[in-house]
Amino acid sequence: MAKKTVSEIIVDTLQAAGVTRVYGVVGDSLNGITDEIRKRDGIEWIHVRNEEAGAFAAGAEAHLTGALAVCAGSCGPGNTHLLNGLYDCHRSRVPVLAIAAQIPSVEIGTQYFQETHPENTFKECSAYCELIGHPDQTVRTTEIAIQTALVQRGVAVIVVPGDISHQKAEAPEPRLPVLRSRATLVPAMEELRAAADLLNTADKVTIMAGAGCADAHAELLQVAELLGAPIVHALRGKEYVEPNNPYDVGLTGLLGFTSGYDALMDADSMLMLGTDFPYAQFLPQDVRTVQVDIRGEHIGRRARVEVGLVGDVAATLRELLPLLNHKQNREHLEKALDNYRRTRANLDELATGEPGDTSMHPQYVTRLLNEQAAEDAIFTCDVGTPTIWAARYLRMNGRRRLVGSFNHGSMANAMPQALGAQLAYPNRQVIALAGDGGFAMLLGELLTLKQLNTPVKVVIFNNNSLGFVELEMKAAGILEYGTELENPNFAALAEAAGVRGIRVTDPAYLSAAIAEMLAHPGPVILDAVVKRAELSMPPTIQKEQMLGFSLYTLKAIMNGRGDEVLELAKTNLLR
């Protein structure tokens, strides 16, 4: 059997898994692997400015394609920069392999220059994390890592000392049997009957649907029709549940709105499908609940579950459907749909702009983006207020996609995720909804967009603040502190970097600016100056929040900041 270097074996295995790009920043401990990529056709090195961005980009590619994506970091600080992006990938359940280069193997444990222990560092954000300490481990370790990432839909990490990457080992042809293996998990019939009995005897069922419904749209609608059940969706389920769905009544949770929350709280039974929705306070806790999830450990984590079904959502619903009765009473469904129509109208009334104003309502920016974007556009959104506006004003149609840091909740994800999306789908429109804080945090990736000439469109919601943090402070009765951002003219900054920049402050010019941005063949930064005082109301307001906001207004006035209270009223009430 022929021998190859460890780097050759790793790259061979990546290509056998269908990998066509590796995101990262080069470094001496990675030289063996990057030089091997340089020699190959069909795989390329994507040079980002920060390894964190490379991990976010790989995660977006994996989310959109369902295939393995790869990022890499050199020893020490190179691979620790991957950490935040990999946490996001792992919590979003997308298959990503990270190659963490290591110091020379003989120096491990001597406090050598840049020494860390990645096999410990990455344990919490990975399903598999192992050191290749000898060349003969390479074949099995790499194959196990790739198969673990694919099967468990999470992160796998291989740690490769720089000297080991140049050494040789026997190299059989790569074998990755899970690439051709498909299995469907379905609950036992006894459990399905128990779920059907509960749902058939309930008067008012509401469905809570998440990302696990990705391949279950038809089955979901059939169940909703039989049960007369409104469908509430979690944010990660929006792109899968919302399209062409006559039973959809919106989101619940911190970013949701009244109709979704009310549909759940009015129910006497809840059917949870493919969601590990984290906010128990927005779920009914005193109703009879059936939960379906491919991961049994998710069942019962957020609500008291009476019947738990471990299985693929689509396959489980197909087995459940013949056992369900067709409910003739549609009162619960009609009430929820009517509530949704009124809530939707109220939200749309806020998405307006007055010509001549000096700044814009962020809802108006998102509404126009939604109207002008392509029918198969891919959107990414930063955590914070951009995610709120994306959740409420972007409409999914079955072809559009939505990517964000919805579980990990990291800042600065939108632009690097858009990079990964654009490279995976070079002929589709990719639009990043970025916060000014998030954009600035990984500002160097603007140079990556220019260097790679990826035609990503970045819309910055520029309110000169960490807006969502300010909302949280107001709700808690705290005067905002440490949230103000002294921003440059981002459009001018983009132009200085060789990227098209457009700045808009007056709503009268916004529509034309968006059209110009979308028509431009290269990357564009649209600096949209939006109102700092814009509030986003949660679906329900607790007494503590009411008290907190009252305390905030009192403190603001007493500290000579009454103009802020007036601006809040002008922006949110006097419209």
Short mmCIF file of all heavy atoms in Angstrom, two decimals, residues 231-272:
data_model
loop_
_atom_site.label_atom_id
_atom_site.label_comp_id
_atom_site.label_asym_id
_atom_site.label_seq_id
_atom_site.Cartn_x
_atom_site.Cartn_y
_atom_site.Cartn_z
N ILE A 231 -50.60 27.14 13.64
CA ILE A 231 -49.18 26.78 13.71
C ILE A 231 -48.37 28.00 14.12
O ILE A 231 -48.39 29.03 13.43
CB ILE A 231 -48.66 26.24 12.37
CG1 ILE A 231 -49.44 25.00 11.94
CG2 ILE A 231 -47.17 25.92 12.46
CD1 ILE A 231 -49.08 24.50 10.55
N VAL A 232 -47.70 27.90 15.23
CA VAL A 232 -46.74 28.92 15.68
C VAL A 232 -45.35 28.41 15.33
O VAL A 232 -45.08 27.22 15.49
CB VAL A 232 -46.86 29.16 17.20
CG1 VAL A 232 -45.87 30.22 17.67
CG2 VAL A 232 -48.29 29.55 17.56
N HIS A 233 -44.48 29.28 14.85
CA HIS A 233 -43.15 28.78 14.53
C HIS A 233 -42.07 29.48 15.34
O HIS A 233 -42.17 30.65 15.70
CB HIS A 233 -42.85 28.90 13.03
CG HIS A 233 -42.90 30.28 12.46
ND1 HIS A 233 -44.01 30.79 11.84
CD2 HIS A 233 -41.97 31.26 12.40
CE1 HIS A 233 -43.78 32.02 11.42
NE2 HIS A 233 -42.54 32.33 11.77
N ALA A 234 -41.04 28.70 15.66
CA ALA A 234 -39.83 29.24 16.27
C ALA A 234 -39.01 29.92 15.18
O ALA A 234 -39.21 29.67 13.98
CB ALA A 234 -39.02 28.12 16.93
N LEU A 235 -38.09 30.78 15.57
CA LEU A 235 -37.34 31.56 14.58
C LEU A 235 -36.56 30.67 13.63
O LEU A 235 -36.56 30.91 12.41
CB LEU A 235 -36.40 32.53 15.30
CG LEU A 235 -35.55 33.43 14.39
CD1 LEU A 235 -36.43 34.21 13.41
CD2 LEU A 235 -34.70 34.38 15.22
N ARG A 236 -35.90 29.61 14.14
CA ARG A 236 -35.14 28.73 13.25
C ARG A 236 -36.07 27.95 12.33
O ARG A 236 -35.63 27.42 11.30
CB ARG A 236 -34.27 27.77 14.06
CG ARG A 236 -33.02 28.42 14.64
CD ARG A 236 -32.08 27.39 15.22
NE ARG A 236 -31.57 26.51 14.18
CZ ARG A 236 -31.42 25.20 14.32
NH1 ARG A 236 -31.78 24.61 15.45
NH2 ARG A 236 -30.93 24.47 13.35
N GLY A 237 -37.34 27.87 12.66
CA GLY A 237 -38.29 27.18 11.79
C GLY A 237 -38.93 28.07 10.76
O GLY A 237 -39.64 27.59 9.87
N LYS A 238 -38.68 29.38 10.81
CA LYS A 238 -39.37 30.34 9.94
C LYS A 238 -39.23 29.99 8.46
O LYS A 238 -40.22 30.00 7.73
CB LYS A 238 -38.81 31.75 10.20
CG LYS A 238 -39.42 32.85 9.32
CD LYS A 238 -38.82 34.21 9.66
CE LYS A 238 -39.23 35.28 8.66
NZ LYS A 238 -40.66 35.67 8.81
N GLU A 239 -38.03 29.69 8.01
CA GLU A 239 -37.83 29.46 6.58
C GLU A 239 -38.50 28.18 6.10
O GLU A 239 -38.77 28.02 4.91
CB GLU A 239 -36.34 29.46 6.23
CG GLU A 239 -35.54 28.36 6.89
CD GLU A 239 -34.08 28.34 6.43
OE1 GLU A 239 -33.81 28.66 5.26
OE2 GLU A 239 -33.20 27.99 7.25
N TYR A 240 -38.79 27.25 7.03
CA TYR A 240 -39.40 25.98 6.64
C TYR A 240 -40.91 25.94 6.87
O TYR A 240 -41.63 25.27 6.14
CB TYR A 240 -38.77 24.84 7.45
CG TYR A 240 -37.27 24.83 7.42
CD1 TYR A 240 -36.53 25.02 8.58
CD2 TYR A 240 -36.57 24.63 6.23
CE1 TYR A 240 -35.14 25.00 8.57
CE2 TYR A 240 -35.19 24.62 6.21
CZ TYR A 240 -34.48 24.82 7.38
OH TYR A 240 -33.10 24.80 7.35
N VAL A 241 -41.38 26.67 7.86
CA VAL A 241 -42.78 26.57 8.29
C VAL A 241 -43.65 27.65 7.65
O VAL A 241 -44.80 27.41 7.28
CB VAL A 241 -42.87 26.66 9.83
CG1 VAL A 241 -44.32 26.67 10.29
CG2 VAL A 241 -42.11 25.51 10.48
N GLU A 242 -43.12 28.85 7.51
CA GLU A 242 -43.92 29.99 7.06
C GLU A 242 -44.42 29.91 5.62
O GLU A 242 -45.55 30.33 5.34
CB GLU A 242 -43.10 31.27 7.25
CG GLU A 242 -43.84 32.55 6.95
CD GLU A 242 -42.97 33.77 7.22
OE1 GLU A 242 -42.11 34.09 6.37
OE2 GLU A 242 -43.14 34.40 8.28
N PRO A 243 -43.63 29.39 4.66
CA PRO A 243 -44.05 29.47 3.25
C PRO A 243 -45.38 28.76 2.98
O PRO A 243 -45.61 27.63 3.43
CB PRO A 243 -42.91 28.77 2.51
CG PRO A 243 -41.74 28.89 3.42
CD PRO A 243 -42.30 28.79 4.79
N ASN A 244 -46.25 29.44 2.23
CA ASN A 244 -47.50 28.84 1.73
C ASN A 244 -48.25 28.08 2.81
O ASN A 244 -48.71 26.96 2.60
CB ASN A 244 -47.18 27.90 0.56
CG ASN A 244 -46.35 28.58 -0.51
OD1 ASN A 244 -46.67 29.67 -0.97
ND2 ASN A 244 -45.24 27.96 -0.89
N ASN A 245 -48.37 28.71 3.97
CA ASN A 245 -48.94 28.04 5.13
C ASN A 245 -50.19 28.78 5.61
O ASN A 245 -50.09 29.80 6.29
CB ASN A 245 -47.90 27.98 6.25
CG ASN A 245 -48.37 27.18 7.45
OD1 ASN A 245 -49.56 26.86 7.59
ND2 ASN A 245 -47.45 26.86 8.34
N PRO A 246 -51.39 28.29 5.27
CA PRO A 246 -52.61 28.99 5.67
C PRO A 246 -52.93 28.87 7.16
O PRO A 246 -53.86 29.52 7.64
CB PRO A 246 -53.69 28.29 4.84
CG PRO A 246 -53.15 26.92 4.58
CD PRO A 246 -51.66 27.10 4.46
N TYR A 247 -52.15 28.07 7.89
CA TYR A 247 -52.40 27.88 9.32
C TYR A 247 -51.40 28.64 10.19
O TYR A 247 -51.50 28.62 11.41
CB TYR A 247 -52.34 26.39 9.68
CG TYR A 247 -53.20 25.53 8.78
CD1 TYR A 247 -52.65 24.87 7.68
CD2 TYR A 247 -54.56 25.41 9.01
CE1 TYR A 247 -53.44 24.11 6.83
CE2 TYR A 247 -55.37 24.64 8.18
CZ TYR A 247 -54.80 23.99 7.08
OH TYR A 247 -55.59 23.25 6.25
N ASP A 248 -50.46 29.31 9.55
CA ASP A 248 -49.39 30.00 10.28
C ASP A 248 -49.93 31.24 10.98
O ASP A 248 -50.63 32.06 10.37
CB ASP A 248 -48.27 30.40 9.32
CG ASP A 248 -47.10 31.05 10.02
OD1 ASP A 248 -46.67 30.53 11.05
OD2 ASP A 248 -46.62 32.10 9.54
N VAL A 249 -49.58 31.40 12.26
CA VAL A 249 -50.01 32.59 13.01
C VAL A 249 -48.81 33.32 13.61
O VAL A 249 -48.95 34.10 14.54
CB VAL A 249 -51.02 32.22 14.11
CG1 VAL A 249 -52.31 31.70 13.49
CG2 VAL A 249 -50.46 31.20 15.11
N GLY A 250 -47.63 33.09 13.05
CA GLY A 250 -46.46 33.88 13.43
C GLY A 250 -45.60 33.24 14.50
O GLY A 250 -45.74 32.06 14.85
N LEU A 251 -44.71 34.06 15.03
CA LEU A 251 -43.75 33.61 16.02
C LEU A 251 -44.22 33.94 17.43
O LEU A 251 -45.06 34.81 17.63
CB LEU A 251 -42.41 34.31 15.82
CG LEU A 251 -41.63 34.07 14.54
CD1 LEU A 251 -41.81 35.24 13.58
CD2 LEU A 251 -40.14 33.92 14.86
N THR A 252 -43.60 33.25 18.38
CA THR A 252 -43.68 33.67 19.77
C THR A 252 -42.26 33.89 20.25
O THR A 252 -41.31 33.86 19.48
CB THR A 252 -44.41 32.63 20.64
OG1 THR A 252 -44.63 33.19 21.94
CG2 THR A 252 -43.63 31.33 20.74
N GLY A 253 -42.09 34.16 21.53
CA GLY A 253 -40.76 34.41 22.07
C GLY A 253 -40.42 35.89 22.11
O GLY A 253 -41.25 36.75 21.78
N LEU A 254 -39.21 36.19 22.48
CA LEU A 254 -38.79 37.58 22.63
C LEU A 254 -38.90 38.36 21.33
O LEU A 254 -39.13 39.57 21.34
CB LEU A 254 -37.33 37.62 23.12
CG LEU A 254 -37.08 37.13 24.55
CD1 LEU A 254 -35.60 37.04 24.83
CD2 LEU A 254 -37.77 38.05 25.56
N LEU A 255 -38.74 37.67 20.20
CA LEU A 255 -38.79 38.35 18.91
C LEU A 255 -40.15 38.21 18.24
O LEU A 255 -40.36 38.75 17.15
CB LEU A 255 -37.71 37.77 17.97
CG LEU A 255 -36.30 37.67 18.52
CD1 LEU A 255 -35.35 37.14 17.47
CD2 LEU A 255 -35.82 39.01 19.05
N GLY A 256 -41.06 37.48 18.86
CA GLY A 256 -42.33 37.19 18.23
C GLY A 256 -43.35 38.28 18.44
O GLY A 256 -43.03 39.41 18.80
N PHE A 257 -44.60 37.92 18.22
CA PHE A 257 -45.66 38.90 18.38
C PHE A 257 -46.91 38.24 18.95
O PHE A 257 -46.96 37.03 19.15
CB PHE A 257 -45.94 39.67 17.08
CG PHE A 257 -45.73 38.90 15.81
CD1 PHE A 257 -46.76 38.17 15.23
CD2 PHE A 257 -44.49 38.92 15.18
CE1 PHE A 257 -46.57 37.50 14.05
CE2 PHE A 257 -44.29 38.22 14.00
CZ PHE A 257 -45.32 37.52 13.43
N THR A 258 -47.90 39.06 19.21
CA THR A 258 -49.03 38.67 20.05
C THR A 258 -49.76 37.43 19.55
O THR A 258 -50.13 36.55 20.34
CB THR A 258 -50.02 39.84 20.16
OG1 THR A 258 -49.31 41.00 20.59
CG2 THR A 258 -51.12 39.53 21.14
N SER A 259 -49.97 37.34 18.25
CA SER A 259 -50.82 36.26 17.74
C SER A 259 -50.22 34.89 18.00
O SER A 259 -50.94 33.93 18.35
CB SER A 259 -51.07 36.44 16.24
OG SER A 259 -49.85 36.52 15.53
N GLY A 260 -48.90 34.74 17.87
CA GLY A 260 -48.27 33.46 18.15
C GLY A 260 -48.35 33.11 19.62
O GLY A 260 -48.66 31.96 19.98
N TYR A 261 -48.08 34.08 20.46
CA TYR A 261 -48.13 33.86 21.91
C TYR A 261 -49.55 33.48 22.34
O TYR A 261 -49.75 32.50 23.08
CB TYR A 261 -47.68 35.13 22.62
CG TYR A 261 -47.75 35.07 24.13
CD1 TYR A 261 -46.76 34.44 24.86
CD2 TYR A 261 -48.82 35.65 24.81
CE1 TYR A 261 -46.82 34.39 26.26
CE2 TYR A 261 -48.89 35.60 26.19
CZ TYR A 261 -47.89 34.98 26.91
OH TYR A 261 -47.97 34.93 28.28
N ASP A 262 -50.55 34.23 21.87
CA ASP A 262 -51.94 33.96 22.26
C ASP A 262 -52.41 32.59 21.80
O ASP A 262 -53.15 31.91 22.51
CB ASP A 262 -52.86 35.04 21.70
CG ASP A 262 -52.70 36.38 22.41
OD1 ASP A 262 -52.04 36.40 23.48
OD2 ASP A 262 -53.22 37.39 21.91
N ALA A 263 -52.00 32.18 20.59
CA ALA A 263 -52.44 30.88 20.07
C ALA A 263 -51.94 29.74 20.95
O ALA A 263 -52.64 28.73 21.13
CB ALA A 263 -51.94 30.69 18.64
N LEU A 264 -50.77 29.90 21.52
CA LEU A 264 -50.25 28.88 22.43
C LEU A 264 -50.94 28.94 23.79
O LEU A 264 -51.33 27.91 24.35
CB LEU A 264 -48.74 29.06 22.60
CG LEU A 264 -47.87 28.58 21.43
CD1 LEU A 264 -46.46 29.12 21.56
CD2 LEU A 264 -47.84 27.06 21.37
N MET A 265 -51.11 30.14 24.31
CA MET A 265 -51.66 30.27 25.65
C MET A 265 -53.15 29.96 25.70
O MET A 265 -53.69 29.62 26.75
CB MET A 265 -51.39 31.68 26.19
CG MET A 265 -49.92 31.97 26.39
SD MET A 265 -49.15 30.76 27.50
CE MET A 265 -47.40 31.11 27.27
N ASP A 266 -53.85 30.05 24.57
CA ASP A 266 -55.28 29.73 24.52
C ASP A 266 -55.55 28.23 24.35
O ASP A 266 -56.69 27.79 24.44
CB ASP A 266 -55.95 30.48 23.36
CG ASP A 266 -56.11 31.97 23.66
OD1 ASP A 266 -55.94 32.36 24.83
OD2 ASP A 266 -56.37 32.74 22.71
N ALA A 267 -54.51 27.46 24.07
CA ALA A 267 -54.69 26.04 23.77
C ALA A 267 -54.87 25.21 25.04
O ALA A 267 -54.46 25.61 26.13
CB ALA A 267 -53.48 25.53 22.99
N ASP A 268 -55.49 24.06 24.88
CA ASP A 268 -55.49 23.10 25.98
C ASP A 268 -54.53 21.94 25.71
O ASP A 268 -54.28 21.11 26.59
CB ASP A 268 -56.90 22.57 26.28
CG ASP A 268 -57.55 21.85 25.11
OD1 ASP A 268 -56.82 21.39 24.20
OD2 ASP A 268 -58.78 21.75 25.10
N SER A 269 -54.00 21.89 24.48
CA SER A 269 -52.99 20.89 24.12
C SER A 269 -51.99 21.51 23.14
O SER A 269 -52.37 22.34 22.31
CB SER A 269 -53.61 19.65 23.49
OG SER A 269 -54.45 18.98 24.41
N MET A 270 -50.75 21.08 23.24
CA MET A 270 -49.70 21.59 22.36
C MET A 270 -48.98 20.42 21.70
O MET A 270 -48.65 19.43 22.35
CB MET A 270 -48.71 22.44 23.16
CG MET A 270 -47.54 22.97 22.35
SD MET A 270 -46.51 24.21 23.24
CE MET A 270 -45.96 23.24 24.67
N LEU A 271 -48.75 20.56 20.40
CA LEU A 271 -47.97 19.60 19.64
C LEU A 271 -46.67 20.28 19.22
O LEU A 271 -46.68 21.17 18.38
CB LEU A 271 -48.75 19.12 18.42
CG LEU A 271 -48.01 18.19 17.44
CD1 LEU A 271 -47.52 16.93 18.13
CD2 LEU A 271 -48.92 17.85 16.25
N MET A 272 -45.57 19.89 19.84
CA MET A 272 -44.26 20.47 19.53
C MET A 272 -43.56 19.59 18.50
O MET A 272 -43.39 18.38 18.71
CB MET A 272 -43.41 20.59 20.79
CG MET A 272 -43.97 21.52 21.85
SD MET A 272 -42.88 21.66 23.30
CE MET A 272 -41.51 22.61 22.63
#
